[in-house]
Structures are given as C-alpha cells and as structure tokens.
Amino acid sequence: MRLRSILPTLATTVVLAATATACGSGGGSGSGSATQELKGQNLTVAAVWSGTEQENFKKVLDAFTAKTGATVSYTSTGDNLSTVVGSKIEGGDPMDVVMVAQPGVIKQFADKGWLAPLPPTVTDAAKKNYASIWSTLGTVNGTQYGLYFKAADKSTVWYSPTAFQNAGVQPPATFDDLLKAGRTLSDSGTPAFSVAGQAGWPLTDWFENVYLSQAGPDLYDKLARHEIPWTDPSVVKALTTLGKVLGDQQLVAGGGQGALQTDFPTSVQQVFGPQPKAAMTYEGDFVGGVLASELKKQVGTDAKVFPFPAVDGGKAPVMGAGDAAVVLKGAKHAEAAQKFVEYLAGPEAAAVWARAGGFISPNKAVDPAVYPDDTTRQFAKSVIDAGDAFRFDMSDQAPAAFGGTAGQGEWKDLQDFLANPSDVQGAAAKLEADAAKAYKG
C-alpha cells in the first residue's frame, strides 16, 4: 500500500496544474546538451504526487523543458488516479503521460485499451539498465506499457540508536536475533516495537517480508497471483512466525490493542518523538520523510536503519514498490510523451530527483553519488543489488477489494490476527475466503 494514501498530513492532496518553465530549476538537467527539439510542443502529465513529492517531480519536469523546449502541465490526481484518468479519457481530453504505482492498475488500463506501447528506445533502455523484474511489472500480455521511474525499499527496520546502546544490543541479521534483541530491549524498559496496525496496510508489509524470506520468491509470486491458497502451509508458517512478534505483549508497545489504535505517523513518533515508547518501528524507506519533515530528526544520527532480517535460513527480503510512466493512447502530444518517457528511462532524470531527496531509482546507471546521504544510497543499493530477486508489494498486486481497502480483505484480516495472533488457522481461512471472492470478481 502507498504511504501517500493514508498520510494527508505530509502532503495535502490537491488537483492543480503547474506549468514547467524553461528555466530548468531542477539542477543537473543537462541543459548544456539541450536540443530544444520539442520547442512549441506541450505535454500533460498526471500523478498522485502532491506536496514535497510534487515539488521534486516538478524539478524533473523543469529539467525536461530545459532539455527539449517542451512545456509541461502537471495534474495531481490525489488517490483517485483511475477515476480522474478515466473521466479525462471519456471527456475526450486524455493526459499524455500518467505515473502509475500499482502493476494491477497498469493491467487495468491496458485491458481497457487506454495505453500505448512504449517505443523501442524505452524498452531497450530498460533491458540495458534495469533488472528484468521491472519490465515484467510494466508488461501486460507481452507488451510493455510501463517504465518504472521511482522505487521504494520496504524491507527496512528503523531504530533508536540511543535505545539500542542503552540495552547493549546490535542490529540483528536474522529473525531469531531480532526476537532476542527485542526481548533484551523490553527487559531494559523499552518495548521493542511500535506497530502501526490502525490502517492495516503496514501489517501486510510485515507479512510480505516474512513470507518472501521464509517461503521464497517463487511461492511469493504464486500467492500474489492467488495460484496457491492463503491456507497453504507456507502461509500458515509465515503467520505463525509473524505471531512471534505480534503476539508477544512485551515486544509490542501497548500490546495488540495498542497497536490497533496506532497509525503510521504515530508509530514513528513513538520511537523518535520527545517521549519514546518503543525502540523500533518497521516500515519502508519513506519513514525518513516523516523523520525529517515532521520530527526534524537527522537520519543516520538520530535515527538509523537495518535491513529486514532473514527468516529461517532464507535470504533477507527486498520487497518494495514503485511508480511507472505510461503513455495514454490517443494522447494529443504523442511525440513529446514518448520523448518524456525516454528521458525518464535514462539516469539524467533520476539524478534530478535523487539530489532533491526522497527518491531512489531502480536504474543501475544512476551514479550513487547523486543521492544526498549514505542511508539513501544504502536503500538504492539494496534495490539494485536485489536484481530480479526484488519483489513488488504483494497487496498492491492484488485486487483492491482484497489488498487495498480499509476495513476489508487482507487489511481487516491481519488486523483481526493482530488482535488474536494465536488463531493462525482462523486467520488463514479468513484470508483465503476474502482472496477467493476478490480474485473471482
């Protein structure tokens, strides 16, 4: 699930148009090699991004303008991207390029005949500089429609260096060591984890990391496609393992009931705020944005991070998300649209946003030096080094009724599991019943 869907306090969702000028405010735009080949042409781009993300993406748009001469209008759709895009198409005024997060939405758009195939210049660049998993995520029925520009690493555990130092523990490399470190922390007077269970989506991420490491990528893919049931022994085993954290009242701040009342921003504040209530919180690299903007903490000093640990001898998981550019069929400015996606496929565009922060790229041609700090470089390296072992957020691949809706499906079932972690079989049965219904629909 996407952070922006549940955190309006960080970026107020608005729909607006912002015209990128040729001044090239992005920095490092490559204006020295500008050809102005698209001078006089316009381009319309839509994405869910608002607030800081919108500002940083606008730097990329400005750099494209400086390079090509095309003017760019940006629309922030908020979380209703599919609805906004659909209404524009039905009204005969489609955007040219849309940035799409979920692979399932790319498939939805392709199945409706809304998308134009990407040109060879883009697909060839993707083959050269991306792990093949990224092209696969943007491909529907053998045709590549999406080019992933922005990635997220969601296999990261954030911790308080002070709490770890006081308890005499080190960042663990295995799940068993995580449990041991957690108990030592709890014995020292600080509960190990603040768990964000109020929305449900962080619980899906917890499960996905455990499952990917324990069951492996092949079973992960099968479960994501519902080719195996949620009552499969591998799922039961992962839930049992996850229950070792969620079911231990000493490890979770406030216990299960407290976690069910804890939203994502609060889970970060409980570790890094003025009155710490826990030593660690699990979530993706975007925790750094909360730390910097809301809590004014220095990542790498006040807050540190370690990779989600390996489970039962499996490989440490690298699971995450991303945003892909697609070109709408019938776009009024098709040439500029294809050139823009071609620009996004190279390292130059990624470097613009990378320098601004809050961004990592799946493009291995991006120079690590453009990232603003060692922690961000660590995230980017993790995604690149994972290669085809990287796995996209499973709930984002599922039908929204199962994997992306508050109060139902996987979100609700895992919240119920958090409330009663001893009922593993019951949780698996609920998950399977809801998945079967959603995947049929």
Side-chain angles (χ1 to χ4, degrees), residues 155 173-176 179 205-221 223 228 232-245 308-319 389 391 394 417 424:
S155 294
T174 69
F175 197 81
D176 285 344
L179 294 174
D205 294 342
W206 266 102
F207 171 82
E208 287 157 8
N209 275 284
V210 170
Y211 190 81
L212 177 56
S213 180
Q214 191 175 60
D218 291 341
L219 284 177
Y220 184 97
D221 293 342
L223 186 60
I228 59 174
D232 187 85
S234 62
V235 176
V236 172
K237 185 177 182 181
L239 289 171
T240 302
T241 300
L242 182 56
K244 292 179 181 178
V245 173
F308 197 98
V311 184
D312 287 348
K315 293 184 177 180
V318 184
M319 182 278 293
R391 285 299 181 271
M394 188 187 297
F417 178 63
V424 173

Side-chain angles (χ1 to χ4, degrees), residues 1 5 25 43 59 92 116 140 205 213 229 285-286 300 359 369 374 380 391 404 433 439:
M1 182 60 195
S5 299
S25 64
L43 181 68
K59 294 176 182 178
V140 180
D205 294 342
S213 180
D285 60 56
F286 44 75
F359 174 93
D374 288 340
R391 285 299 181 271
Y439 278 84

Side-chain angles (χ1 to χ4, degrees), residues 31 36-37 75 104 208 250 263-264 269 316 343 385 389:
S31 56
Q36 302 294 297
E37 61 181 314
T75 297
E208 287 157 8
Q250 299 303 312
D263 61 19
F264 168 71
Q269 186 175 40
Y343 176 66
D385 289 353

Side-chain angles (χ1 to χ4, degrees), residues 18 59 63 71 125 183 185 226 255 304 311 314 350 385 396 400 410 424:
K59 294 176 182 178
T71 58
R183 294 187 186 104
L185 286 160
H226 200 223
K304 294 188 177 182
V311 184
D385 289 353
D396 278 352
E410 188 181 359
V424 173

